[in-house]
Amino acid sequence: MTEPLRLSKRMSELGLCSRREADEWIERGWVRVDGVVVSQLGSKVLPNQRITIERQAAQQQARRVTVLLNKPMGYVSGQAEDGYQPAVTLVNAGTRWKEDKTELTFHPSQLRSLVPAGRLDIDSVGLLVLTQDGRIAKQLIGEDSSIEKEYLVRVRYTKPGKLPDADLQLLNHGLSLDGKKLLPAKVRWQNEDQLRFILREGKKRQIRRMCEAVGLKVLGLKRVRIGKVALGDLPPGQWRYLRDDERF
């Protein structure tokens, strides 16, 4: 016998929205199960039941924006901490990239619920995604996300000589953090003092800790790509909207 699931969880699994959005839509009477409006939070459904959303929910979702920011050093990804400003404070009409070709007009209401989909350390720079869309957040940072993230990492070897090939192989696969094996990565030399990392997970300070494990000190770290979306020529401290034709 198939177990019933919470309606909000099932909607998230189907990629309709985030669980938070689902709860909001259920309360507003914007969700139907097998054609019947369900407005009770905590309601459960069977996996084979048909879930549809009202036009108002689809319209609300369509107005939600996703922003690509080239985060400079000295800004934290999320909430303000230790006197440092969050990256979202860089999103305003004056810092929008002049090459942004989307037809959207900036409005302060777009800052409401604009949250980072993934972290980028205060001393790291590059591509940071901020979104109002729960579907994109789930795609990038959900438990089952396998979206690639690409970094350029400037390093210095702290031991005599050069990094052994065996240790480069360890960076690709074989290291553990916090007692758990890391997923396979793609790590290769970009030039004599810079590595290119491609990861499919994002543990806290993962690249710095991986490098430390093989005797490398990270001097600079820049994220240049998330999935199919690249940082490109976006200048530091500026942002643009995710285009309709772009998919992570």
Side-chain angles (χ1 to χ4, degrees):
M1 184 174 167
T2 307
E3 289 291 319
L5 298 167
R6 279 182 74 103
L7 176 55
S8 58
K9 184 173 191 294
R10 182 61 177 152
M11 289 171 67
S12 175
E13 283 181 354
L14 291 170
L16 295 172
C17 58
S18 69
R19 292 178 73 164
R20 188 183 65 191
E21 284 174 319
D23 284 338
E24 180 190 332
W25 295 354
I26 291 165
E27 281 191 306
R28 293 188 178 196
W30 290 352
V31 180
R32 291 178 182 264
V33 178
D34 291 337
V36 178
V37 172
V38 175
S39 57
Q40 182 68 43
L41 285 179
S43 297
K44 296 194 172 185
V45 294
L46 293 168
N48 62 348
Q49 290 188 279
R50 184 166 175 263
I51 300 168
T52 53
I53 60 173
E54 299 292 297
R55 187 176 68 253
Q56 299 98 306
Q59 287 172 340
Q60 185 193 72
Q61 202 168 48
R63 289 195 296 271
R64 296 199 163 149
V65 300
T66 296
V67 161
L68 310 175
L69 171 71
N70 187 347
K71 187 188 89 65
M73 286 183 69
Y75 287 83
V76 291
S77 298
Q79 297 295 317
E81 56 184 74
D82 300 329
Y84 292 105
Q85 288 190 301
V88 70
T89 60
L90 289 167
V91 181
N92 57 65
T95 53
R96 183 178 179 182
W97 190 30
K98 66 179 187 302
E99 298 292 324
D100 187 350
K101 297 295 193 291
T102 55
E103 294 181 358
L104 288 166
T105 300
F106 175 76
H107 189 274
S109 65
Q110 293 166 353
L111 299 174
R112 199 177 304 132
S113 302
L114 189 69
V115 295
R119 68 170 69 87
L120 197 56
D121 296 335
I122 190 168
D123 43 4
S124 300
V125 303
L127 182 58
L128 182 67
V129 177
L130 300 145
T131 187
Q132 294 179 313
D133 192 331
R135 295 169 302 175
I136 286 178
K138 182 174 185 288
Q139 186 183 32
L140 297 189
I141 58 175
E143 289 178 11
D144 54 353
S145 174
S146 60
I147 300 276
E148 285 188 348
K149 298 174 181 72
E150 185 173 344
Y151 304 81
L152 292 177
V153 186
R154 198 165 297 283
V155 293
R156 176 171 56 81
Y157 194 44
T158 59
K159 300 175 184 178
K162 293 174 64 177
L163 180 75
D165 288 344
D167 284 349
L168 181 63
Q169 287 307 310
L170 263 183
L171 288 172
N172 278 270
H173 194 213
L175 290 176
S176 297
L177 290 182
D178 304 321
K180 191 172 180 184
K181 268 202 172 300
L182 295 175
L183 295 176
K186 297 174 186 171
V187 186
R188 60 179 173 82
W189 287 105
Q190 179 74 5
N191 52 49
E192 61 181 23
D193 66 347
Q194 195 172 50
L195 288 164
R196 183 178 292 271
F197 275 73
I198 299 176
L199 305 181
R200 288 186 293 113
E201 59 190 334
K203 297 186 184 299
K204 191 170 184 179
R205 297 182 76 82
Q206 178 172 337
I207 290 176
R208 294 175 192 276
R209 293 166 71 196
M210 288 172 72
C211 287
E212 199 175 275
V214 296
L216 290 170
K217 181 177 175 60
V218 172
L219 305 177
L221 190 153
K222 180 179 184 180
R223 183 156 62 203
V224 295
R225 178 175 64 84
I226 298 176
K228 295 178 180 177
V229 177
L231 179 65
D233 297 324
L234 184 62
Q238 295 187 29
W239 63 275
R240 68 174 179 87
Y241 292 107
L242 183 74
R243 300 192 309 268
D244 288 340
D245 65 324
E246 289 180 302
R247 295 288 181 275
F248 289 102

